[in-house]
Amino acid sequence: MTEMLSGGEMLIRALQDEGVDVVFGYPGGAALHIYDAMFRQQKVEHMLVRHEQAATHMADGYARATGRAGVVLVTSGPGATNAITGIATAYMDSIPMVVISGQVQSSLIGTDAFQETDMVGVSRPVVKHSFIVRRAEEIPEIVKKAFYIANTGRPGPVVIDVPKDTVDPADAFPYSYPETVRMRSYTPSQRGHSGQIRKAVTALLVAKRPVIYAGGGVIQGEASEQLTQIARRLNFPVTNTLMGLGAFPAPDRQFLGMLGMHGTYEANMAMHNADCIFALGARFDDRVTNNPEKFSPDATIVHLDVDPASISKIIAADVPIVSPVGPALDMMIETLDKELEKAPEVLDAAAHSQWWTRIDEWRAEGGLDHHMALDSVRRIRPQQVIQSLYAVTGGEAFVTSDVGQHQMFAAQYYHFNKPRRWINSGGLGTMGFGLPSAMGVQVAHRDAVVACVTGEGSFMMNMQEMSTCKQYGLPIKVINLNNSALGMVKQWQDMQYGGRHSSSTYADSLPDFVALAESFGHVGIRISEPSDLPDAMQEVFSAANRNRLVFLDVVVDPNEHVYPMAIKGGAMNDMILSRTDDAKRIGEEEGAR
Amino acid sequence: MRRILAVLLENEPGALSRIIGLFAQRNYNISSLTVAPTEDNTLSRLTMTTEGDDQKIEQITKQLNKLIEVVKVVDLTDTDHVEREIMLIKVRAEGVAREEVKRTADVFRGQIIDVTANAYTVQVTGPKAKLDAFIRAIGKTTVLEVVRSGATGLSRGDKILTV
Ligand SMILES: Cc1ncc(C[n+]2csc(CCOP(=O)(O)OP(=O)(O)O)c2C)c(N)n1
Ligand SMILES: [Mg+2]
């Protein structure tokens, strides 16, 4: 016999049937029917945040750490608009998410009713798709489609706007959850074209100065293993984008580090001088390419991506392959193995060894210093905090970050050797992402070590969530690189605006972070002496603090800049490597004037 | 370069707004747009004209295809196709001009579909260039009001656009 359920019950039951274990949200008038249906069951847990933006970032962190869509529930009007930043963040980084928003009852839509916002309209530019429920009977199918769309192809957030009358507990409908979906207008690519695969393999085989440039698509597409395999087979250098860190094991000799605006010298030099770039799950973002006109002049571009619109959008591809990364790499590896078996000498070993020599020279000349010694004269340098974090966590932590200098230091100095361990807002660059996304990760992996590398500016954008951490016992380790400034903004002002720090400092008005953390019932530690760093970091991750949220406030050198830094309008090999390098550049510019 | 695109779209509320939103969001321009359901009630067919080089049109096509409700997109520009637009134009028709307007309408195979003592309303169909030429021929000073549908079109021959 088919069960009779109300719209609200159908919605929650559909989530159960979809395998959802947790929903992040915040209630309000238009969502109360749904909240009541939520209350009357146990399978789906609801976690109450303190601000809807945080709910979306939690769902996002959950999704990035697991690969499963994160789910959000908010009310209409302000609840829905508060969620927008988090939806946009997920959209820019192609993160699967389903956001259910309450809506005023259908008969009131369009009348400027209390807490009415056109959520479908407001969210349209930042969602993969959206639905508005017109009749309660549609709910199971809409939920099914929403998850299907969010999870497949190039993943992304999907909004379901639910008018209150469609979830009225007074009505009941026969419930069944569809087993499959078919949409004639949505058929994401399953596998690459075999002709293109062969062309790609040929291009790689004849390359003399190759680079593999791998992005977040490799992580989203669960293709890290294949990436590592193909890179090892060919002995090609690999660089990862900010979103791709962890896709290839960072400690590996073949790894050049991150590329782009704050990428390593060797990665950017290799990209610029390459004769073949194999881009996979990456989209030639402007933070990677610098000036596209001057991008890698000699390279043949092989571009593999699940989204056809990413291919030849910025940089024309010589060999485009539209496919999920994993299946295409499987096919490429198979073809490659056959070719190499037939004629191993097609690979130009001499050219490759020369190429590696050049890369090693770049490394020696301009690579990052991964062993900065603590000295008592200088203040703690932010890079050293990340090095210490890496040492103490053995490289095994999930690390989320906010946006700013601290984010770049974390990306540069924590060596991620597994996918889904590095979680940050790359595309939108959303300050306030760090803490709630860490919470989402911790919910997904209750026993994992989760660290949030943040800056005091970013942290203050969502610090209310320390209360949520208390409620649900989320033992996040917050590492605050406190430079008493909007450091990244200040750095740009130092470098491009004659050091005029327009609205980028607030030193005298910062809170006592230790007292703040303690007031939420957590542990706070503050250090400013270099010699205190190793012990403090140990204490943060000590057994005694295993189940506690610990806030480590590290007073760092406020004058530190992130280097290397791309020179605006230049090619990828145009970088400022250090403060002296920068002073020289400014001097030359002034001399020229 | 002017391009003419044909799009099959799920006939659902909100679908059109996604197309308009996409063009606004990505800074593409729409020169004209027509849309109506087809013989199949679940589908709308949309014809749009836009400007751009090959790379831009490739992006527009790909971005349109990414919209979940878009079923198919074809660029008609470079294929052999028929393009028609309808224009209703109200012109001053007094004294000698009255005869002149009639003659010009005949030359363009236009039909006079409404008549008053001082004005004619003429219906002209054809490709955009023909309608532009009619306005030039009739003389700007006599034109009182113009409404144009925007281009619609389909491929010549046996080629068809269906799901
Ligand atoms: C929501 C939001 N507003 C503004 C910015 C612009 N922005 C980028 S970095 C930055 C400074 C971040 O300061 P902090 O979190 O203290 O990090 P720091 O750079 O000092 O390490 C700002 C304001 C942003 N990325 N996000
Ligand atoms: Mg700061």
Side-chain angles (χ1 to χ4, degrees), chain A residues 9 18 35 88 95 171 236 279 281 320 386 402 415 459 482 497 499 504 512 517-518 554:
Chain A
E9 289 166 336
E18 196 56 46
Y35 268 89
I95 304 304
D171 304 323
F236 282 5
I386 308 298
D402 270 292
H415 310 286
F459 188 75
N482 190 342
Y497 297 89
S504 56
D512 174 342
E518 286 172 351
V554 188

Side-chain angles (χ1 to χ4, degrees), chain A residues 365-417:
Chain A
E365 192 187 330
L368 298 171
D369 174 3
H370 289 289
H371 305 282
M372 290 180 187
L374 292 167
D375 72 69
S376 50
V377 201
R378 289 196 62 166
R379 300 204 230 182
I380 300 176
R381 302 179 67 188
Q383 299 91 326
Q384 294 169 326
V385 183
I386 308 298
Q387 290 175 349
S388 172
L389 173 67
Y390 179 68
V392 170
T393 56
E396 288 295 322
F398 286 82
V399 178
T400 75
S401 91
D402 270 292
V403 175
Q405 292 182 318
H406 62 274
Q407 174 192 26
M408 291 300 126
F409 291 133
Q412 290 176 331
Y413 290 91
Y414 198 99
H415 310 286
F416 295 95
N417 60 9

Side-chain angles (χ1 to χ4, degrees), chain A residues 91 120 124-132 134 145 149 154 183-186 307-316, chain B residues 9-14 17-19 21-22 25-26 40 42-43 55 58-59 62-63 65-71 163:
Chain A
Y91 179 71
V120 166
R124 189 182 302 118
V126 294
V127 295
K128 184 170 174 188
H129 195 55
S130 48
F131 295 92
I132 179 159
R134 292 182 190 270
K145 281 184 178 170
I149 292 169
R154 179 175 179 173
M183 298 170 73
R184 62 181 170 184
S185 60
Y186 177 67
D307 177 10
S310 283
I311 294 176
S312 298
K313 181 173 68 174
I314 311 286
I315 302 290
Chain B
L9 187 68
E10 295 289 356
N11 184 10
E12 276 166 14
S17 68
R18 281 183 223 277
I19 293 198
L22 173 72
Q25 182 185 351
R26 299 210 176 248
D40 173 353
T42 67
L43 282 175
Q55 204 210 339
E58 183 182 329
Q59 260 302 304
K62 285 172 167 178
Q63 294 293 350
N65 268 314
K66 260 175 87 167
L67 295 177
I68 305 293
E69 284 140 338
V70 167
V71 185
V163 286

Side-chain angles (χ1 to χ4, degrees), chain A residues 436-456:
Chain A
S437 63
M439 292 156 61
V441 176
Q442 191 83 72
V443 168
H445 301 295
R446 281 295 185 156
D447 297 326
V449 174
V450 184
C452 164
V453 174
T454 187
E456 76 300 321

Side-chain angles (χ1 to χ4, degrees), chain A residues 392-505:
Chain A
V392 170
T393 56
E396 288 295 322
F398 286 82
V399 178
T400 75
S401 91
D402 270 292
V403 175
Q405 292 182 318
H406 62 274
Q407 174 192 26
M408 291 300 126
F409 291 133
Q412 290 176 331
Y413 290 91
Y414 198 99
H415 310 286
F416 295 95
N417 60 9
K418 291 195 188 102
R420 302 198 180 281
R421 293 296 171 95
W422 164 241
I423 284 159
N424 85 130
S425 166
L428 198 67
T430 309
M431 290 171 68
F433 177 81
L435 176 63
S437 63
M439 292 156 61
V441 176
Q442 191 83 72
V443 168
H445 301 295
R446 281 295 185 156
D447 297 326
V449 174
V450 184
C452 164
V453 174
T454 187
E456 76 300 321
S458 296
F459 188 75
M460 286 191 289
M461 284 209 176
N462 265 324
M463 61 183 177
Q464 76 285 347
E465 296 308 319
M466 283 196 285
S467 170
T468 310
C469 290
K470 182 72 188 163
Q471 184 173 359
Y472 298 101
L474 302 175
I476 313 294
K477 311 301 185 235
V478 180
I479 313 297
N480 187 35
L481 305 189
N482 190 342
N483 54 10
S484 298
L486 301 175
M488 188 56 97
V489 171
K490 189 162 151 259
Q491 172 170 347
W492 282 51
Q493 290 168 338
D494 284 338
M495 296 174 76
Q496 291 169 27
Y497 297 89
R500 293 181 296 280
H501 296 159
S502 178
S503 294
S504 56
T505 58

